[in-house]
Amino acid sequence: MSDNKTHFGYQTVDSDKKQEMVADVFHSVAAKYDVMNDLMSFGIHRLWKRFTIDMSGVRPGDKVLDLAGGTGDLTKKFAKIVGPSGGVVLADINSSMLNVGRDRLTDQGYVGNIEYVQANAECLPFEDNSFDVITIAFGLRNVTDKDKALRSMARVLKPGGRLLVLEFSKPTNPLMSKAYDLYSFTALPFMGKLVTNDADSYKYLAESIRMHPDQETLKSMMENAGLVRCSFHNMTSGVVALHRGIKP
């Protein structure tokens, strides 16, 4: 695919248009995003995220970047762990998602060690070697230039710091793969229509998952971005994978 073209779901679009199209999707679904996450994953997304936190090795005093952090699920847990001597930056490219996250966490009393930053993963507005841990959960597949974003994340990690990418991936079981396809392309848009009155955004989400690199490809991309000891852990038969890499 040429440099000035990219995928938006199954469509081929101009690279400079994708960011805006993805933004429209998340402006549309932001208010009901958490409800839909619970419905779509039958609540299992909470277990995937808990496993990510366990694998992150976050400790009191750490500086954490929760990228594409949206409504703040991970940020909330990290803020508790790092405590007053640490800090969490909740960053999202989408202002609607960021506002929902900030309002939600502020209402729940999470103030003091959380910052909110509107940021593009491809060119993060942070100094080199800033973070002990970076997580990006269900966000990388929406980024236009994933290689550039991974290099940007590696740059702002401290030496010895860890990047964790939680993302939908390629099911390892053929039966699961068939069932998952059927569910994604029929049930998801239907639920999207019912809950958010927006079937098209959930059709895009299903398609974007299919266009995302598989487990081994993403692992190689992380290595190419300069990370070492890269590995992945499949969950729910590979429907979701957690990739982990360390900055040397």
Side-chain angles (χ1 to χ4, degrees):
M1 184 166 294
S2 67
D3 286 349
N4 59 353
K5 293 287 183 187
T6 189
H7 293 293
F8 177 77
Y10 289 164
Q11 298 175 55
T12 300
V13 298
D14 293 336
S15 292
D16 56 0
K17 296 278 192 331
K18 175 168 176 173
Q19 196 173 305
E20 195 181 314
M21 293 168 80
V22 170
D24 288 342
V25 168
F26 284 93
H27 285 313
S28 168
V29 303
K32 296 282 178 65
Y33 185 76
D34 290 329
V35 176
M36 278 299 293
N37 269 355
D38 276 332
L39 282 173
M40 288 188 306
S41 72
F42 308 103
I44 300 171
H45 74 101
R46 295 169 187 275
L47 299 178
W48 298 332
K49 287 171 181 169
R50 190 175 306 155
F51 182 74
T52 302
I53 288 164
D54 291 345
M55 288 293 286
S56 70
V58 167
R59 295 190 291 269
D62 278 353
K63 189 91 187 288
V64 179
L65 172 60
D66 181 14
L67 195 51
T71 54
D73 278 356
L74 289 174
T75 291
K76 187 162 63 170
K77 301 281 197 306
F78 284 137
K80 279 183 182 170
I81 298 168
V82 303
S85 60
V88 185
V89 175
L90 170 54
D92 203 291
I93 195 169
N94 188 278
S95 57
S96 298
M97 294 291 285
L98 199 60
N99 289 336
V100 170
R102 179 169 44 210
D103 292 350
R104 179 184 173 202
L105 295 191
T106 305
D107 288 349
Q108 292 174 9
Y110 288 88
V111 290
N113 65 351
I114 301 174
E115 282 178 72
Y116 300 89
V117 177
Q118 190 170 355
N120 182 341
E122 293 176 25
C123 44
L124 292 169
F126 307 110
E127 290 184 8
D128 296 3
N129 311 318
S130 293
F131 296 98
D132 298 287
V133 171
I134 298 175
T135 55
I136 179 165
F138 307 114
L140 187 61
R141 71 178 189 281
N142 298 312
V143 173
T144 305
D145 188 335
K146 296 173 181 59
D147 290 302
K148 191 176 177 188
L150 289 168
R151 287 194 300 273
S152 185
M153 292 178 224
R155 177 183 67 76
V156 303
L157 268 179
K158 293 177 184 175
R162 290 143 341 260
L163 170 64
L164 292 102
V165 181
L166 179 64
E167 190 53 91
F168 292 108
S169 204
K170 300 289 181 279
T172 50
N173 174 317
L175 274 180
M176 171 63 96
S177 193
K178 281 198 174 66
Y180 182 49
D181 278 348
L182 186 67
Y183 173 71
S184 298
F185 290 104
T186 53
L188 282 196
F190 176 73
M191 281 194 277
K193 176 75 178 150
L194 218 60
V195 178
T196 66
N197 199 29
D198 182 358
D200 286 346
S201 288
Y202 284 92
K203 180 172 175 280
Y204 158 72
L205 290 178
E207 291 177 358
S208 70
I209 291 165
R210 299 312 181 285
M211 302 308 294
H212 185 67
D214 65 22
Q215 287 91 324
E216 288 293 348
T217 305
L218 181 52
K219 182 183 167 203
S220 298
M221 289 166 70
M222 289 171 68
E223 289 165 348
N224 292 340
L227 299 169
V228 297
R229 289 161 56 196
C230 297
S231 60
F232 62 84
H233 184 98
N234 284 323
M235 294 181 273
T236 318
S237 298
V239 166
V240 165
L242 176 65
H243 283 68
R244 186 170 182 262
I246 295 169
K247 180 169 177 173

